Amino acid sequence: MSTVPFLVPLARFRSPLFERIVLMKSAITLSLVDEARGGPFVFWGDAKNAISQAHQMGFDAIEIFPPDADTLRHLFLAKTLADHGLSVAAVGTGAGWVKHRLQLADEDEIVRQRAIDFIRTIIDCAAELDAPAIIGSMQGRSSHAVKCETANAYLREGLEILSRHANQYETVVLFEPLNRYETDQANTLDQGLNLIDGLPNLRLLADLFHMNIEEANIANSIRRAGKAIGHVHFADSNRMAVGLGHLDIPPVIAALQEIGYTGYLSAEVFSKPDAAKAAQQTMDSFRTALNV
Ligand code: LER
Ligand code: MN
């Protein structure tokens, strides 16, 4: 029996806002990138073990941060994922920056081209896993050689090419605004909306950690972005699992329900105090927030 017909009436019974109940899905992050050690990912290194643990804890999906497309492909994860009934929520491209120093706004045309090529290969292998690719830190930033507006034009050119590339798979690419200490290209959802305007295969990734730093009002920004939001990084104010910081989560969930968001809440958080506890805290917060 499918769980959906069971969960919908249950969720309606529990909430006075039943007209607005929308189911979202849970995901947890896995990093395979040594150079990103200490970064905001729950599981590290052993993909098959992470998939098994995520399944045991009740997650719907795993979000993977690989060093490159070939490494991910050669892990042959499709069977392990299917055996555990787990999906891939998204595949990150951040290693293009942290490991290979590639960015879409680079002053050097050759580096920009290599950045586009790197993301193309991740879009390809993500599509094989039925998942979208994420562009976060590879958006890049201005430098002494490239003014902010020029960097923005380079970035937009790259996004146009990648939107066309994703179109062949009928998949989307997730563009992620980051806080001011990581980029000067798109810090808010409004700036992200502006950058992806008119690109049919681009959606926004709303990372609650970055939004807590940059947005005047997180819930209102979510409402303005509406259907352009394709993914959410579910993190608290201090980038710990939700519930371990001071972010007010209920208005955020209410805004996501209002816009009819049915995608993932994916925990891109520190593996603290350890992976199992960060994952369990995330799952507890997810269930509390969604009343499921
Ligand atoms: C990537 O999803 C992100 O949020 C950046 O802060 C990379 O660390
Ligand atoms: Mn993020």
Side-chain angles (χ1 to χ4, degrees):
M1 190 183 80
S2 157
T3 53
V4 174
F6 171 72
L7 280 178
V8 171
L10 182 66
R12 287 185 175 182
F13 174 72
R14 285 180 177 181
S15 172
L17 297 173
F18 63 86
E19 294 301 345
R20 290 215 201 120
I21 285 295
V22 179
L23 294 181
M24 292 171 225
K25 297 168 285 184
S26 58
I28 191 96
T29 46
L30 160 69
S31 172
L32 306 173
V33 181
D34 280 343
E35 291 82 348
R37 280 277 161 201
F41 305 97
V42 175
F43 292 116
W44 288 84
D46 184 345
K48 289 185 179 162
N49 180 50
I51 289 167
S52 165
Q53 282 199 58
H55 162 73
Q56 278 168 30
M57 295 177 114
F59 285 94
D60 298 304
I62 194 142
E63 178 178 321
I64 308 175
F65 185 71
D68 53 64
D70 278 350
T71 304
L72 178 55
R73 211 173 258 124
H74 287 110
L75 288 174
F76 301 106
L77 295 181
K79 180 167 181 335
T80 313
L81 288 159
D83 287 349
H84 290 88
L86 220 70
S87 300
V88 177
V91 181
T93 61
W97 170 244
V98 298
K99 189 175 165 74
H100 309 286
R101 286 298 186 233
L102 302 173
Q103 51 165 338
L104 293 170
D106 201 273
E107 64 192 75
D108 183 337
E109 191 183 345
I110 294 169
V111 174
R112 295 201 298 278
Q113 188 56 54
R114 287 180 53 217
I116 290 170
D117 291 343
F118 182 88
I119 297 170
R120 268 204 196 105
T121 63
I122 298 278
I123 292 173
D124 296 341
C125 83
E128 289 162 22
L129 295 166
D130 219 5
I134 297 170
I135 300 174
S137 38
M138 281 195 76
Q139 69 193 268
R141 64 211 77 193
S142 66
S143 66
H144 63 278
V146 181
K147 287 191 303 195
C148 193
E149 305 77 58
T150 313
N152 228 252
Y154 290 155
L155 171 57
R156 169 74 193 196
E157 269 172 37
L159 295 179
E160 286 172 4
I161 293 166
L162 293 164
S163 176
R164 286 197 292 277
H165 185 74
N167 194 49
Q168 66 186 297
Y169 302 116
E170 295 176 5
T171 186
V172 295
V173 177
L174 301 164
F175 178 77
E176 178 175 18
L178 304 175
N179 73 69
R180 68 192 68 184
Y181 307 106
E182 297 189 33
T183 187
D184 59 2
Q185 295 300 290
N187 301 131
T188 62
L189 290 194
D190 283 345
Q191 289 167 348
L193 271 179
N194 197 32
L195 254 167
I196 68 166
D197 187 38
L199 302 181
N201 292 83
L202 267 287
R203 296 287 182 280
L204 291 181
L205 194 172
D207 182 321
L208 302 182
F209 167 74
H210 298 301
M211 292 181 76
N212 181 61
I213 295 170
E214 298 294 346
E215 306 286 351
N217 181 308
I218 295 178
N220 287 345
S221 299
I222 288 171
R223 284 190 201 96
R224 276 199 304 279
K227 290 292 179 199
I229 297 181
H231 197 69
V232 173
H233 277 162
F234 192 55
D236 216 315
S237 52
N238 47 5
R239 225 169 197 182
M240 299 283 277
V242 168
L244 299 181
H246 58 73
L247 190 63
D248 188 14
I249 284 291
V252 174
I253 299 296
L256 289 167
Q257 287 174 331
E258 266 178 54
I259 64 167
Y261 180 72
T262 56
Y264 290 100
L265 298 183
S266 183
E268 189 188 59
V269 300
F270 294 124
S271 197
K272 289 182 184 171
D274 58 44
K277 290 200 178 85
Q280 192 56 55
Q281 172 67 33
T282 294
M283 184 43 75
D284 293 349
S285 302
F286 176 85
R287 289 189 171 136
T288 304
L290 292 171
N291 211 9
V292 290

